[in-house]
């Protein structure tokens, strides 16, 4: 008998028991009319219950017969009452109760059957539900239905476009029930499993509104969401809060540690760490690889197969770079007899171009046509990614996609591509990635390079030598500047959550911070003041102050919204600086500035009253004034926090323009990166601006400052990647507090001492030994907490190097990769689906 039927039957029996008491009271009070009104209602309820059970269990089912006997008894009592027979009310109730107890016993004795419904929408995402369905289907006491649901692709204006239904694309062994035939209200399944969490809030697609979680919830006792994705360690910020989470009874997550990632408002008991069914399918199929499709066999024969993944995140991040990367990848494989390129675009990639990147659609389609017309490899649009992974040898593509986790669990090599690299490396291109951070320390002695390696230039010589590895991970940009405080060297975290103290060629100790985050982006800047070290948070839920003398860590959690926020669709972090004993943080989204007393940690939120809306990306102190660089708009602001006096500077020379680095269009965002001061003059280094600016503090005149050294207008190539900044001023302060300014050119990674009074720039040596760099190149290894194992494309390990099997650094080690991936998924032995189903069954029995 259906669990739902048992539940309804028990509710009905409870109501009948109450009705029998009412019959007894009516007879005791001589209210025959009342008894005659209630008894037919009892009979109707029993008939409805019997009909419901008979539809699924048949007319010979014992409960049905007992209900017929009950109805006969009710009819006899009704007849006796109408004939004015003297009846013992207590005896009547006892007779009815005895019959109901027999019905109840038969219901309790009946074997309970569950009805479970799975609602996939895209066939390519069926793997996120399949192993749970297999466990349910194998249970003889469960009826499991797979009901694919329709979905819309969205138009450019976000309205519903074409309706799609993929019910004919599932494996042959999966029986499909039409969504038009399954009656949710009538059948009321015990459990509904879904893998789309967005309801109406996805800009690419939408399941039919009938199947929004808010509607499904009314038809079931348990609504369970299982993510359609899996993770190699990190989590997308967009997945922390989705509509279905608040309607679901349970959310299956991959491991315990991911609970921290979800909206704190969600009850923690909703989050159940049981793994990912996607891993079950990969393990099962990779252990027994299928035969490749006939059209693939000749292309794969005798060749290593490279699975090329083009993701939505990559396409939306920097679309032009993404498309150029596709072209470069195609060129690298073209004409090779030893390598087969298997290109599998994300199933919604074309829809993404239709709705969110329309002006690039033709370029994408042109690349696709070139791939197909020139027969460059295998174009894979099959619905089953697991089969494709089983037939592939190597993954190439983005890091930020769940496909990497599937390759990781499968134990196959992953080579992470950088979408900004569009050519093979040239001599010296290693410099673009090794000199990725501005030198730090009082004599520019320290530099953290690719692979979380620390290099040191003794006595500020500019000749950098390997010092130590800062952590076990080969990639991930864990650390930033090295600050020298009271004779100690502190390596400050960016994506890490600890401070590393180094000396004597080794790590002396680690200062662990509270491990709040399970994603990158903990901090964005570190600022020293006397014995204190301040860490400014990006996603970390506190500003941290470390007392280098006592070892005390203080976590400041107020006013965190000032440190970072979304401006013009991008996440921006606040500018910060010290002035006296006060730390000032300028909001990138409002005209607020946070003032923090470095000693007491007391805070004040100050508002700058200016004529144009304020939002700041940089702030610098000049005596008792602060200069603020705009995040949005073009006004440079000069502000005295004591007097409140404000001056704005907007009278730029005519040749000044601002071009967005990512989109290539004119804009009014982040014109400048940094400030330098010399006497009566203020110098601004460009971010999106096309020129440097000099401001005369006395007259307010704004003129172009032309550096006395030729700086490049663009990066040499993709190995010299910079996110948005062209150049930046930094300074070193001597014991008297006098500043010596430097200029760092991001486009060629060169560093200059600047003498503004003489208008001179002298290049500072930033010298590395290429052979030493090669010796410490990570190659394949434990990548980061967010991608457990792999190798990253760079000047030492290019895509042609990979194809030629000429990797510098660690060789691929399947055992090491398997061990690494065991850390990020519960039930990673292929039993996740079984454990999810068992958990849900237990919950239903409570």
């Amino acid at each position: 008998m259906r669990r739902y039927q048992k539940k309804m039957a028990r509710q009905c029996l409870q109501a009948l028991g109450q009705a029998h008491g009412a019959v007894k009271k009516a007879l005791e009070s001589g209210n025959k009319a009342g008894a005659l009104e209630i008894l037919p209602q009892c009979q109707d309820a029993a008939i409805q219950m019997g009909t419901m059970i008979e539809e699924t269990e048949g007319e010979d089912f014992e409960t049905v017969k007992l209900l017929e006997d009950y109805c006969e008894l009710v009819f006899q009592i009704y007849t006796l009452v109408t004939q004015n027979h003297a009846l013992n009310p207590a005896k009547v109730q006892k007779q009815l109760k005895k019959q109901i107890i027999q019905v109840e016993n038969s219901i309790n004795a009946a074997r309970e059957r569950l009805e479970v419904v799975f609602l996939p929408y895209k066939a390519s995402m069926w793997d996120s539900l399949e192993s749970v369905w297999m466990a349910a289907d194998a249970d003889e006491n469960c009826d499991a239905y797979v009901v694919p649901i329709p979905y819309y692709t969205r138009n450019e204006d976000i309205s519903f476009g074409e309706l799609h239904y993929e019910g004919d694309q599932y494996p042959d062994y999966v029986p499909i029930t039409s969504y038009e035939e399954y009656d949710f209200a009538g059948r009321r399944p015990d459990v509904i499993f879904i893998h789309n969490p967005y309801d109406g809030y996805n800009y690419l697609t939408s399941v039919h509104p009938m199947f929004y979680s808010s509607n499904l919830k009314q038809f079931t006792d348990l609504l369970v969401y299982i993510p359609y994705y899996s993770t190699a360690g990190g989590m997308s910020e967009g997945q922390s809060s989705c509509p279905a989470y608040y309607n679901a009874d349970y959310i299956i997550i991959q491991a315990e540690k991911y609970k921290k990632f979800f909206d704190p408002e969600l009850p923690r008991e909703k989050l159940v760490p049981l793994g990912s069914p996607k891993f079950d399918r990969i393990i099962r199929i990779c252990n027994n690889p299928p035969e490749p499709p006939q059209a693939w066999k000749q292309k794969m024969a005798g060749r290593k197969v490279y699975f090329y993944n083009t993701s939505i995140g990559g396409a939306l991040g920097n679309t032009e770079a993404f498309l150029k990367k596709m072209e470069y990848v195609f060129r690298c494989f073209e004409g090779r007899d030893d390598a087969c390129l298997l290109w599998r675009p994300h199933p919604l990639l074309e829809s993404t171009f239709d709705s969110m990147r329309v002006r690039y659609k033709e370029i994408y389609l042109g690349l696709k046509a070139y791939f197909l017309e020139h027969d460059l490899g295998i174009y894979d649009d099959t619905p089953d990614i697991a089969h494709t992974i089983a037939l592939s040898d190597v993954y190439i593509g983005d890091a930020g996609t769940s496909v990497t986790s599937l390759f990781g669990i499968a134990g196959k090599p992953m080579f992470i591509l950088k979408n900004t690299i569009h050519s093979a490396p040239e001599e010296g291109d290693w410099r673009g990635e090794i000199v990725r951070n501005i030198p730090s320390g009082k004599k520019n002695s320290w530099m953290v390079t690719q692979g979380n390696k620390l290099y040191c230039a003794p006595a500020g010589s500019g000749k950098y030598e390997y010092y130590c590895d800062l952590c076990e991970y080969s990639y991930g940009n864990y650390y930033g500047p090295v600050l020298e405080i009271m004779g100690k060297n502190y390596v400050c975290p960016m994506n890490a959550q600890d401070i590393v103290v180094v000396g004597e060629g080794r790590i002396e100790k680690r200062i662990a911070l509270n491990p709040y985050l399970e994603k990158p982006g903990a901090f964005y800047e570190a600022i020293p003041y006397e014995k204190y070290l301040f860490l400014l948070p990006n996603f970390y839920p506190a500003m941290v102050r470390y007392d280098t003398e006592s070892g005390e860590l203080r976590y400041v959690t107020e006013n965190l919204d000032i440190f970072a926020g979304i401006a013009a669709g991008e996440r921006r972090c606040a500018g910060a600086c010290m002035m006296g004993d006060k730390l000032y943080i300028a909001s990138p989204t409002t005209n607020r500035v946070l003032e923090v007393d470095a000693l007491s940690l007391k805070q004040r939120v100050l508002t700058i009253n200016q004529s144009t809306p304020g939002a700041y990306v940089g702030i610098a102190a000049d005596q008792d004034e602060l200069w603020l660089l705009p995040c949005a708009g073009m006004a440079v602001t000069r502000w005295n926090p004591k007097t409140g006096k404000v001056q704005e500077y907007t009278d730029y020379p005519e040749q000044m323009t601002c071009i967005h680095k990512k989109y290539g269009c004119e804009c009014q965002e982040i014109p400048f990166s940094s400030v330098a001061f010399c006497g009566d003059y203020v110098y601004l280094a460009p971010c999106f601006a096309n020129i440097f600016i000099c401001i005369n503090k006395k007259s307010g005149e704004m003129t172009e400052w032309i550096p006395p050294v030729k700086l490049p207008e663009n990066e040499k190539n993709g190995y010299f990647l910079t996110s948005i900044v062209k150049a930046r001023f930094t300074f070193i302060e001597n014991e008297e507090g006098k500043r010596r300014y430097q200029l760092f050119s991001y486009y060629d990674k060169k560093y200059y001492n600047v003498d503004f009074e003489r208008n001179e720039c002298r290049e500072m040596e930033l010298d590395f030994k290429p052979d030493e760099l090669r010796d410490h190149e990570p190659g394949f290894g434990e990548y980061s907490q967010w991608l457990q194992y792999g190798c990253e494309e760079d000047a030492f390990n290019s895509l042609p190097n990979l194809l030629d099997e000429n990797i510098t650094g660690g060789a691929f080690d399947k055992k090491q990769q398997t061990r690494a991936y065991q850390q990020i998924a519960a039930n990673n032995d292929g039993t996740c689906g079984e454990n999810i189903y068992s958990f849900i069954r237990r919950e239903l029995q409570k």
Side-chain angles (χ1 to χ4, degrees):
M1 183 187 297
R2 281 276 317 278
R3 174 185 173 278
Y4 170 68
Q5 291 174 329
K6 280 193 170 188
K7 180 180 177 181
M8 296 296 292
R10 289 181 179 123
Q11 291 174 355
C12 182
L13 293 176
Q14 185 178 8
L16 287 174
Q18 294 171 352
H20 298 163
V23 170
K24 175 175 178 286
K25 287 182 180 180
L27 293 175
E28 286 175 338
S29 63
N31 181 11
K32 293 181 180 180
L36 291 175
E37 182 181 355
I38 297 169
L39 286 167
Q41 294 175 8
C42 293
Q43 191 173 53
D44 289 344
I47 290 170
Q48 289 178 17
M49 189 194 317
T51 302
M52 175 186 72
I53 296 171
E54 185 178 329
E55 285 177 354
T56 57
E57 307 300 325
E59 62 181 11
D60 293 331
F61 194 68
E62 182 183 6
T63 305
V64 175
K65 293 181 178 181
L66 289 170
L67 285 168
E68 289 172 351
D69 293 342
Y70 170 81
C71 288
E72 179 61 31
L73 175 62
V74 170
F75 176 73
Q76 291 174 5
I77 294 170
Y78 181 89
T79 301
L80 293 173
V81 173
T82 58
Q83 294 175 353
N84 295 317
H85 281 264
L87 297 173
N88 184 330
K91 186 175 181 181
V92 168
Q93 184 187 29
K94 186 175 181 180
Q95 287 176 314
L96 293 169
K97 182 179 180 181
K98 181 180 178 181
Q99 192 64 38
I100 285 301
I101 288 173
Q102 292 184 55
V103 173
E104 185 175 15
N105 289 340
S106 73
I107 290 171
N108 291 338
R111 189 171 63 182
E112 184 173 282
R113 297 188 63 79
L114 298 182
E115 185 157 316
V116 177
V117 176
F118 296 83
L119 301 182
Y121 81 110
K122 286 197 69 65
S124 59
M125 298 175 181
W126 167 239
D127 58 349
S128 62
L129 300 174
E130 185 182 72
S131 63
V132 186
W133 166 75
M134 285 180 163
D137 190 57
D139 181 359
E140 62 180 9
N141 294 318
C142 178
D143 296 318
Y145 293 86
V146 178
V147 184
I149 59 178
Y151 68 94
Y152 293 95
T153 48
R154 290 192 184 270
N155 298 319
E156 189 176 358
D157 63 359
I158 315 300
S159 63
F160 286 171
E162 185 180 355
L163 183 68
H164 303 264
Y165 175 71
E166 299 184 359
D168 59 346
Q169 297 181 29
Y170 289 76
D172 293 340
Y173 54 82
V174 180
I176 298 300
T177 299
S178 170
Y179 69 94
E180 294 175 319
E181 296 175 0
Y182 189 88
D183 181 3
F184 285 87
R187 300 193 65 85
R188 192 174 173 83
D190 300 295
V191 189
I192 295 177
F193 287 97
I194 59 174
H195 67 184
N196 184 310
Y198 303 114
D199 290 351
Y201 292 87
N202 187 332
Y203 294 142
L204 299 179
T205 62
S206 172
V207 297
H208 192 289
M210 172 183 171
F211 300 103
Y212 288 170
S213 62
S214 54
N215 190 49
L216 293 173
K217 179 60 184 163
Q218 66 180 309
F219 298 124
T220 185
D221 288 344
L222 285 183
L223 181 63
V224 181
Y225 167 66
I226 300 178
Y228 62 88
Y229 59 87
S230 55
T231 173
M235 294 283 281
S236 164
E237 188 176 1
Q239 296 295 337
S240 62
S241 176
C242 294
Y245 298 171
Y246 305 93
N247 297 313
D249 296 286
Y250 291 107
I251 300 166
I252 305 301
I253 62 175
Q254 198 169 294
E256 179 73 26
K257 71 178 200 171
Y258 296 116
K259 284 186 176 181
K260 299 176 188 176
F261 165 80
F262 287 85
D263 181 358
E265 297 298 317
L266 285 169
R268 297 298 94 175
E269 59 270 18
K270 260 194 182 190
L271 306 173
V272 188
L274 292 175
S276 172
K278 294 171 76 72
F279 294 159
D280 291 350
R281 193 159 202 276
I282 284 293
I283 292 168
R284 176 169 58 84
I285 292 176
C286 285
N287 286 340
N288 296 282
E291 276 288 309
Q294 194 62 39
W296 295 12
K297 287 185 177 181
Q298 185 176 352
K299 296 177 180 180
M300 298 172 72
R303 297 178 176 181
K304 185 174 283 190
V305 179
Y306 293 81
F307 179 113
Y308 177 36
N309 175 41
T310 48
S311 70
I312 288 177
L316 294 178
N318 185 330
T319 309
E320 286 191 16
F322 171 84
L323 294 169
K324 289 178 181 177
K325 185 66 179 191
M326 285 177 56
E327 184 180 2
Y328 171 60
V329 171
F330 293 169
R331 288 201 314 268
C332 287
F333 279 87
E334 197 165 10
R336 294 194 72 117
D337 295 327
D338 58 345
C340 171
L341 178 61
L342 189 155
W343 176 29
R344 184 182 175 89
H346 188 283
L348 295 175
L349 190 57
E350 287 196 28
S351 298
T352 302
F353 279 100
D354 282 333
S355 61
M356 301 180 74
R357 292 293 186 270
V358 176
R359 68 190 181 107
Y360 294 104
K361 175 72 178 292
E362 290 305 314
I363 301 174
Y364 173 78
L365 292 178
L367 287 167
K368 177 181 174 182
Y370 183 87
F371 180 91
L372 295 172
E373 290 167 8
H374 289 77
D375 201 23
L376 297 184
I378 296 168
Y379 181 81
D380 178 25
D381 58 358
T382 61
D384 195 340
I385 192 173
H387 283 185
T388 303
I389 291 173
L391 295 170
S392 300
D393 298 302
V394 182
Y395 170 91
I396 59 172
D398 300 335
T401 164
S402 63
V403 179
T404 57
S405 64
L406 303 180
F407 271 88
I409 288 291
K412 300 193 176 193
M414 287 178 288
F415 187 77
I416 303 306
L417 298 179
K418 295 177 181 175
N419 284 338
T420 52
I421 293 178
H422 308 137
S423 61
E426 300 174 4
E427 185 69 26
D429 278 352
W430 54 264
R431 183 183 184 88
E433 294 168 315
I434 293 300
V435 187
R436 58 174 52 192
N437 293 306
I438 296 174
S440 55
K442 293 180 179 178
K443 294 184 179 180
N444 293 320
S445 299
W446 301 100
M447 195 178 300
V448 177
T449 70
Q450 179 169 284
N452 302 304
K453 315 287 184 184
L454 180 62
Y455 281 73
C456 181
S461 65
K463 296 182 182 297
Y464 289 87
E465 299 175 356
Y466 173 78
Y467 194 85
C468 69
D469 281 19
L470 293 171
C471 65
E472 69 272 30
Y473 294 113
S474 302
Y475 304 94
N477 299 324
Y478 275 68
Y479 297 94
V482 180
L483 300 182
E484 299 175 16
I485 303 175
M486 300 178 69
K488 291 284 188 180
N489 303 306
Y490 297 88
V491 188
C492 301
M494 294 291 110
N495 289 331
Q497 294 179 73
D498 63 358
I499 302 166
V500 180
V501 185
V502 297
E504 302 299 326
R506 62 183 178 84
I507 293 175
E508 293 184 344
K509 70 173 179 177
R510 291 184 184 275
I511 299 147
L513 308 179
N514 290 337
Y516 290 128
L517 283 189
E518 290 296 343
K519 61 181 178 180
F523 304 98
Y524 70 91
E525 190 168 348
I527 294 181
Y529 175 71
E530 295 184 351
K531 65 176 181 175
Y532 296 115
L533 168 58
F534 288 88
L535 300 176
L536 307 189
N538 182 5
F539 290 110
Y540 196 81
M543 179 179 72
V544 178
R545 189 189 73 177
Y546 176 61
D547 186 329
T548 62
E549 197 171 73
S550 69
E552 179 193 38
L553 284 165
R554 292 282 298 274
Y555 297 87
V556 182
T557 57
E558 296 86 8
N559 298 305
L560 292 182
D561 62 314
I562 290 179
F563 288 88
I566 303 299
E570 304 277 349
R571 187 171 180 84
R572 304 293 187 205
C573 294
C577 71
M578 294 297 305
M579 188 167 73
D581 61 356
K582 301 294 191 296
L583 172 61
Y584 289 91
I585 299 105
S587 168
T589 58
T590 68
N591 62 340
R592 296 178 301 156
V593 175
L594 178 64
E595 179 190 83
V596 182
D597 187 297
L599 303 177
S600 68
L601 293 180
K602 289 182 179 178
Q603 299 186 14
R604 287 197 305 159
V605 177
L606 309 174
T607 301
I608 300 178
N609 296 314
Q610 57 189 101
S611 59
T612 55
Y616 316 105
V617 76
I619 184 171
D622 179 34
Q623 298 180 19
D624 58 354
E625 293 181 322
L626 293 169
W627 288 73
L628 298 103
L629 304 181
C631 180
M634 300 296 289
V636 174
T637 304
R638 180 183 184 182
W639 174 54
N640 188 313
K642 290 183 179 178
T643 66
K645 182 179 178 181
V646 174
Q647 289 176 264
E648 296 175 61
Y649 299 86
T650 57
D651 189 17
Y652 293 99
E654 289 184 2
Q655 66 269 33
M656 160 87 169
T657 59
C658 212
I659 304 298
H660 198 289
K661 180 77 164 62
K662 182 188 292 186
Y663 304 120
C665 57
E666 193 166 341
C667 67
Q668 292 197 349
E669 295 177 45
I670 320 179
F672 307 108
S673 67
S674 50
V675 184
F677 304 100
C678 182
D680 292 333
Y681 295 94
V682 179
Y683 298 86
L684 308 178
C687 186
F688 287 164
N690 63 327
I691 59 175
F692 288 78
I693 291 293
C694 175
I695 302 175
N696 185 316
K697 288 192 285 187
K698 289 184 175 180
S699 68
E701 183 184 15
M702 303 179 79
T703 57
E704 179 181 1
W705 178 66
I706 301 175
V709 63
K710 180 67 174 176
L711 301 180
E713 293 298 319
N714 294 290
E715 298 103 330
K716 176 186 174 184
N717 54 39
Y719 299 95
F720 286 78
L721 172 66
T722 171
S723 55
I724 57 174
V725 180
K726 294 180 182 178
R728 182 179 294 278
F729 290 124
T730 64
F731 65 85
I732 295 176
E733 215 166 49
N734 63 19
E735 292 180 358
E736 289 76 37
K738 187 175 181 180
R739 296 176 180 178
R740 178 163 59 89
Y741 281 97
Q742 288 99 28
L743 173 63
F744 186 71
S745 170
Y746 280 87
Y747 286 170
D748 56 3
K749 305 299 179 75
K750 291 185 177 181
Y751 208 30
Y752 301 90
N753 275 317
V754 184
D755 187 329
F756 290 109
E757 291 178 341
R758 297 180 179 180
N759 199 35
E760 293 178 352
C761 281
R762 181 174 55 83
E763 185 176 353
M764 301 165 60
E765 191 170 17
L766 297 177
D767 188 34
F768 291 82
K769 300 173 184 176
D771 288 343
E772 185 179 48
L773 293 172
R774 285 191 185 89
D775 290 342
H776 293 284
E777 174 70 14
F780 281 96
E782 292 192 32
Y783 192 98
S784 70
Q785 291 166 271
W786 312 288
L787 179 71
Q788 303 303 303
Y789 189 91
C791 178
E792 188 174 275
E793 181 183 22
D794 61 28
F796 290 123
N797 286 312
S798 64
L799 181 54
N801 290 147
L802 176 73
L803 300 182
D804 293 338
E805 299 186 357
N806 183 28
I807 289 294
T808 300
F812 174 70
D813 185 330
K814 183 175 180 177
K815 289 183 179 179
Q816 187 182 4
Q817 176 169 309
T818 301
R819 285 195 301 270
Y821 272 86
Q822 287 173 348
Q823 309 302 313
I824 52 94
N827 302 308
N828 55 33
D829 56 355
T831 62
C832 169
E834 296 171 16
N835 281 282
I836 291 173
Y837 179 68
S838 296
F839 168 79
I840 293 301
R841 232 195 184 296
R842 290 194 302 272
E843 291 303 299
L844 288 170
Q845 292 169 354
K846 288 182 178 179

